[in-house]
Amino acid sequence: MNNNNSRAALSLQESWASNLSDYLLLRRQQTQSAYQVPDNNTSSDNGQVDRAQDKALFSALLIMLTTHLEQGHTVLTVEEAKNEIPVQGHIGDESVALYAWQLQLLEMLATPLLALVEAQGQHLIAGENAMEPSLFNLLSIVFAQKHQLWSQSVLTNYERELLTKRFDAITALYQRLKNTDLEAVMESISEYDLFSNVLHLSEDNENSLSKNNKPITYQIKKEKNRSTSITFWLHRTWQAEFSLAKRIHTIMSQQIKLLTIAMPENLEDQQIAAINVANHNAFSIITGGPGTGKTYTVAQLVIALQHATQSRKGEDAPIKFSSDSASLALAAPTGKAAQRMQESLQAALDAANVDMQLEEAKTIHRLLGIGRTGRPRYDADNPLGEDIIIVDEASMLGVEMANYLVSAVKKGARLILLGDANQLAAVDAGAVLADLCRISQLQPIHVELTESRRFSKDSGIGKLAQQINKANTDTQAIWQLLKQDEALSFSSINTQAAGTVEDDQTINSLSNLKLLKEITLRYQNFLNDIKKLSKIPIEKSMPEQTQSIVTSLMKTFNQFRILTAGHNGEWGDHYINNYLTQWHLTELKLPLGQNTWFHGRPVMVLQNNYELGLFNGDIGFCLQTSDDSGQLEVFFENKAQGIAVNLLNEELVATAYAMTIHKSQGSEFDHVAITFDSSHSRLLSKELIYTAVTRAKKQVSIYSTKLAFEKAVQTPTQRHTGLALQFEAL
């Protein structure tokens, strides 16, 4: 078995949940021993909330909820259908009948071990009855051949210990679930003190885990002639969704002062509707694809706000929105998205001949004053002072950040969310924008813009985006479009050649190498500019000239970008960036492999650095300066001074010739090359490809296999969230 495969099967990030579960159960047992007087007339098996079976159920659910959270889900729902017939099978020598919900839970908990079984090969399944469900086969192997699995896998002692704990947890859960029904499980949960029923949460403890002291929250749903279900949250996640829904409901009920808006003649009906909704409501959502005029629409509100501010100060007073005037805040989840938002909004204002200087758009972290502690400076007790808060790229909002944001909106202020609900959901758990757009109570304050001005009716990119977004994707229509439209191309990559890519060291085939060389040449204009700067280095004493140079470099660099589905493999950003680095060094005749920093290296910031004023997604260029030492500094757009490379932690920046599609959200490029193969299969979705395609303004080139591409455009992202349940309860 390949060592990398065994590592992938382990899901080691779940180990902390197992350790936490052990700790909570131990402390609970110690507390009971210290404070409860034993009753000699009470059997240990009757009336004790800490029966082994209930402990096993709690531990299993805590581990599964943690895994779900890592995958972006906020809830785990277990559902029992009426009149469901159990599935018959054998686990070892035991004949069992399990319902679908029981199999679902067992499979989720057993995933690391089942992956090991599958990786070991078919010989382990040789004696099994092929007619039985595969999960029974796999569980039989897990129970019967544990030691063989361990010995044939390349595992450390620590990893073997974790898998042994997981095996014990699966065994305990299996014993708890067999010969029972969901009703009995629900009854056990309701009696166990580490679970809290949503119905029993009071106003005093609903927002405090320290007061509630119950790590898992649940909600039972029963309806006549319909299935019975129970939904679980980690308490912190439930709290975030509960607070988000409650706060949005509160904001929507507030009265606001209407702005006088002069509607431009060139607005579409949908844009007029969006302006009216945002003007008449304290909370509003405006969604739409690229070029549908979201920013231009919101610009009309900003213009109206300017007129209102100007009338209070006098017609001749210069207008500058700032924290002092407490009027307008612009924000986005990443620094790049915030910068693009400001540029787009300023362009819309300039086009309307409005003389207005916008305050700098901020990341949401900066807006809320979130520093190293992770807690916001601005919250319900210390709200933001702005009257209008506009947040772009809201599809990137996770549930916790969205909760922080809405909690900081002052009474009587407007919060406007802009975004494309068809794009990728947040890296953090939740799918806030998509959820809000589907909730019936919010439909009156949501307007979707569908008319694109960037992509005409004849635009290949626009057509491709529309095809990908269809509920029932027509792959034949997509292939036809890729063949016929000059702005689109598809190149089939080779995944059958001998050899593998491990640690980004080798490339699989000459045909793929040819394609990669073709992609590389798209950066030739950028490299030519870098060569010129090697002869005429940056003058640090001339900041205005430096900014002009960096702006020009950025414009050239943004003509083309490589977007990858993931980090690993031949078509991941790690390998491609390494390949392009070698090309860059060779072309400039720089030493190969001696230093990670070199003249012309494009870099992307991976984490916020508040001390240096750098934010996740910022792009900069490492350039040689004109001083005697030839010092290398990194220059970022809209920053007058460079940053010495020794101040930048190499782990917090990455070479930016290629970036993941997730990191590209909020950016635009003239031409994008999208690369992925079957090794990225678990990452592929139609939202991923749609996001990548819509980063391009003029041209899209796709490098993949036909099978991987078709799978991607036919696989919608499904995130299990509880936000809709929270609104139902309001």
Side-chain angles (χ1 to χ4, degrees):
M1 176 180 171
N2 183 284
N3 187 43
N4 287 341
N5 288 339
S6 67
R7 295 293 186 273
L10 290 173
S11 299
L12 295 179
Q13 73 270 18
E14 303 166 31
S15 64
W16 74 267
S18 177
N19 293 335
L20 177 61
S21 171
D22 292 344
Y23 171 78
L24 290 171
L25 292 171
L26 177 61
R27 288 300 304 269
R28 177 171 162 76
Q29 182 179 350
Q30 291 172 340
T31 302
Q32 288 176 330
S33 299
Y35 292 101
Q36 290 184 355
V37 178
D39 185 352
N40 295 328
N41 297 321
T42 302
S43 167
S44 60
D45 291 329
N46 280 323
Q48 291 291 334
V49 294
D50 272 333
R51 292 177 301 181
Q53 291 183 347
D54 293 329
K55 288 182 180 180
L57 188 59
F58 169 76
S59 295
L61 285 169
L62 189 65
I63 292 170
M64 287 186 281
L65 281 167
T66 302
T67 307
H68 251 38
L69 201 64
E70 292 281 345
Q71 297 168 348
H73 310 294
T74 62
V75 299
L76 167 61
T77 299
V78 180
E79 191 168 16
E80 183 178 54
K82 296 292 184 183
N83 304 318
E84 180 185 355
I85 299 174
V87 180
Q88 302 288 331
H90 288 82
I91 295 182
D93 297 330
E94 186 177 16
S95 177
V96 293
L98 296 174
Y99 290 96
W101 65 271
Q102 295 170 319
L103 289 168
Q104 171 198 356
L105 292 179
L106 285 170
E107 184 173 16
M108 286 176 60
L109 190 64
T111 295
L113 293 175
L114 299 181
L116 279 179
V117 172
E118 292 175 335
Q120 289 288 349
Q122 293 298 316
H123 66 281
L124 287 173
I125 314 178
E128 300 297 329
N129 183 353
M131 296 301 292
E132 290 183 359
S134 61
L135 182 59
F136 284 108
N137 296 340
L138 295 169
L139 286 173
S140 293
I141 294 169
V142 169
F143 288 132
Q145 303 185 41
K146 179 183 73 169
H147 298 295
Q148 184 178 350
L149 274 176
W150 275 213
S151 63
Q152 293 184 6
S153 304
V154 183
L155 302 170
T156 66
N157 290 335
Y158 176 66
E159 291 164 348
R160 195 170 281 112
E161 179 186 342
L162 289 178
L163 285 176
T164 300
K165 284 186 68 175
R166 179 58 61 90
F167 173 82
D168 294 340
I170 299 164
T171 304
L173 181 64
Y174 168 66
Q175 295 298 330
R176 177 65 185 85
L177 293 182
K178 70 177 185 179
N179 303 321
T180 190
D181 58 18
L182 189 56
E183 193 71 33
V185 170
M186 289 180 181
E187 186 175 344
S188 295
I189 287 170
S190 66
E191 295 174 353
Y192 199 70
D193 280 350
L194 292 179
F195 294 92
S196 57
N197 191 328
V198 167
L199 296 177
H200 299 156
L201 293 174
S202 70
E203 290 293 330
D204 291 334
N205 62 25
E206 65 191 11
N207 289 320
S208 173
L209 179 56
S210 61
K211 293 179 182 179
N212 183 271
N213 203 28
K214 297 183 179 183
I216 297 178
T217 300
Y218 69 92
Q219 178 175 332
I220 294 174
K221 196 171 185 180
K222 295 182 181 180
E223 296 181 19
K224 277 190 176 182
N225 302 321
R226 295 191 65 184
S227 58
T228 300
S229 68
I230 181 168
T231 298
F232 298 96
W233 291 260
L234 290 174
H235 182 89
R236 175 172 172 171
T237 311
W238 173 84
Q239 176 182 306
E241 288 191 335
F242 172 85
S243 300
L244 176 59
K246 186 175 180 181
R247 182 59 184 163
I248 288 176
H249 188 266
T250 300
I251 294 173
M252 288 174 60
S253 65
Q254 293 177 355
Q255 297 294 317
I256 55 174
K257 185 177 179 180
L258 295 183
L259 297 169
T260 301
I261 300 176
M263 298 286 187
E265 295 181 358
N266 61 343
L267 289 180
E268 305 282 347
D269 290 344
Q270 292 174 337
Q271 291 176 302
I272 293 173
I275 292 170
N276 285 328
V277 163
N279 193 20
H280 286 79
N281 295 277
F283 179 70
S284 57
I285 305 169
I286 302 174
T287 62
T292 51
K294 297 186 295 293
T295 306
Y296 183 79
T297 301
V298 169
Q300 310 314 311
L301 288 169
V302 176
I303 293 170
L305 183 61
Q306 181 231 24
H307 291 324
T309 306
Q310 198 165 30
S311 64
R312 290 197 300 268
K313 293 185 175 182
E315 291 296 327
D316 297 329
I319 296 300
K320 177 181 178 181
F321 290 147
S322 67
S323 56
D324 295 332
S325 63
S327 297
L328 177 69
L330 306 176
T334 68
K336 187 63 180 178
Q339 180 185 334
R340 262 205 61 241
M341 175 195 192
Q342 183 169 357
E343 291 171 351
S344 300
L345 189 54
Q346 190 66 60
L349 297 175
D350 293 343
N353 294 319
V354 175
D355 185 15
M356 184 189 309
Q357 182 182 352
L358 291 172
E359 186 73 8
E360 179 189 6
K362 301 176 181 177
T363 63
I364 296 174
H365 279 78
R366 282 184 66 194
L367 177 70
L368 298 178
I370 299 175
R372 290 180 176 179
T373 63
R375 302 295 300 180
R377 175 186 171 193
Y378 296 99
D379 53 23
D381 296 324
N382 180 34
L384 294 163
E386 286 80 4
D387 298 317
I388 296 182
I389 301 167
I390 304 171
V391 178
D392 201 5
E393 299 293 346
S395 63
M396 300 168 71
L397 279 175
V399 65
E400 289 210 15
M401 187 57 67
N403 179 40
Y404 287 153
L405 175 66
V406 300
S407 297
V409 178
K410 73 176 183 180
K411 185 176 181 180
R414 286 181 178 82
L415 174 61
I416 304 170
L417 300 185
L418 307 179
D420 186 345
N422 295 312
Q423 281 191 33
L424 283 165
V427 175
D428 297 327
V432 173
L433 185 66
D435 282 347
L436 294 178
C437 291
R438 287 191 290 261
I439 292 170
S440 58
Q441 298 100 305
L442 302 184
Q443 294 312 303
I445 55 90
H446 170 219
V447 178
E448 182 180 9
L449 307 179
T450 57
E451 295 294 325
S452 177
R453 298 191 180 192
R454 183 193 304 172
F455 303 131
S456 67
K457 292 182 179 180
D458 298 327
S459 164
I461 298 175
K463 288 179 180 178
L464 180 58
Q466 289 176 0
Q467 287 289 345
I468 293 170
N469 267 341
K470 286 185 176 179
N472 298 313
T473 306
D474 185 347
T475 55
Q476 292 303 314
I478 290 177
W479 286 121
Q480 193 74 14
L481 188 60
L482 288 170
K483 289 177 182 177
Q484 292 180 349
D485 198 282
E486 293 182 356
L488 308 174
S489 67
F490 180 90
S491 297
S492 184
I493 61 176
N494 187 350
T495 60
Q496 303 301 318
T500 59
V501 172
E502 291 190 14
D503 300 324
D504 306 324
Q505 292 176 351
T506 60
I507 193 161
N508 283 353
S509 69
L510 291 175
S511 61
N512 286 352
L513 183 58
K514 182 180 178 181
L515 290 174
L516 198 49
K517 287 181 177 178
E518 172 188 304
I519 295 172
T520 299
L521 292 178
R522 299 286 184 181
Y523 282 117
Q524 191 64 57
N525 289 341
F526 171 72
L527 200 69
N528 290 340
D529 287 351
I530 293 299
K531 286 179 179 178
K532 293 176 185 176
L533 287 174
S534 64
K535 298 175 183 177
I536 311 174
I538 290 282
E539 289 284 352
K540 295 172 60 176
S541 61
M542 303 175 66
E544 290 185 5
Q545 183 185 53
T546 298
Q547 275 195 315
S548 176
I549 291 171
V550 173
T551 300
S552 177
L553 263 183
M554 188 66 71
K555 184 177 180 181
T556 304
F557 189 58
N558 284 344
Q559 290 174 355
F560 179 72
R561 195 62 46 87
I562 303 168
L563 307 182
T564 69
H567 294 305
N568 301 319
E570 182 179 357
W571 295 100
D573 66 326
H574 287 174
Y575 180 85
I576 294 175
N577 276 322
N578 183 58
Y579 178 88
L580 278 158
T581 294
Q582 301 307 309
W583 167 75
H584 182 124
L585 295 173
T586 301
E587 289 288 310
L588 267 65
K589 297 181 173 56
L590 296 172
L592 297 176
Q594 293 186 4
N595 197 328
T596 54
W597 291 103
F598 51 86
H599 175 66
R601 180 192 179 193
V603 296
M604 177 174 59
V605 177
L606 303 179
Q607 292 184 21
N608 296 337
N609 186 321
Y610 297 98
E611 289 81 3
L612 296 176
L614 299 177
F615 299 92
N616 187 2
D618 285 355
I619 299 289
F621 305 106
C622 177
L623 301 173
Q624 187 173 320
T625 59
S626 59
D627 59 20
D628 294 337
S629 63
Q631 182 180 354
L632 291 172
E633 295 188 9
V634 181
F635 294 86
F636 293 88
E637 201 170 13
N638 299 324
K639 288 191 179 298
Q641 301 295 328
I643 298 173
V645 295
N646 60 3
L647 295 178
L648 294 170
N649 186 336
E650 182 61 31
E651 294 182 0
L652 303 184
V653 297
T655 302
Y657 276 119
M659 64 171 68
T660 62
I661 297 167
H662 275 89
K663 285 291 187 183
S664 75
Q665 284 182 273
S667 298
E668 288 181 346
F669 314 102
D670 292 343
H671 179 185
V672 299
I674 307 168
T675 68
F676 58 94
D677 59 23
S678 54
S679 71
H680 303 121
S681 58
R682 69 181 183 85
L683 302 170
L684 300 180
S685 68
K686 64 164 52 191
E687 289 82 3
L688 186 84
I689 305 304
Y690 170 82
T691 300
V693 166
T694 54
R695 298 310 90 204
K697 294 187 284 187
K698 297 179 180 178
Q699 193 171 349
V700 171
S701 302
I702 301 171
Y703 296 83
S704 179
T705 64
K706 183 176 180 181
L707 183 64
F709 179 70
E710 288 189 346
K711 176 187 177 181
V713 298
Q714 291 176 320
T715 306
T717 297
Q718 292 184 331
R719 281 203 171 178
H720 305 296
T721 64
L723 195 54
L725 291 175
Q726 304 287 7
F727 274 91
E728 285 178 13
L730 291 175

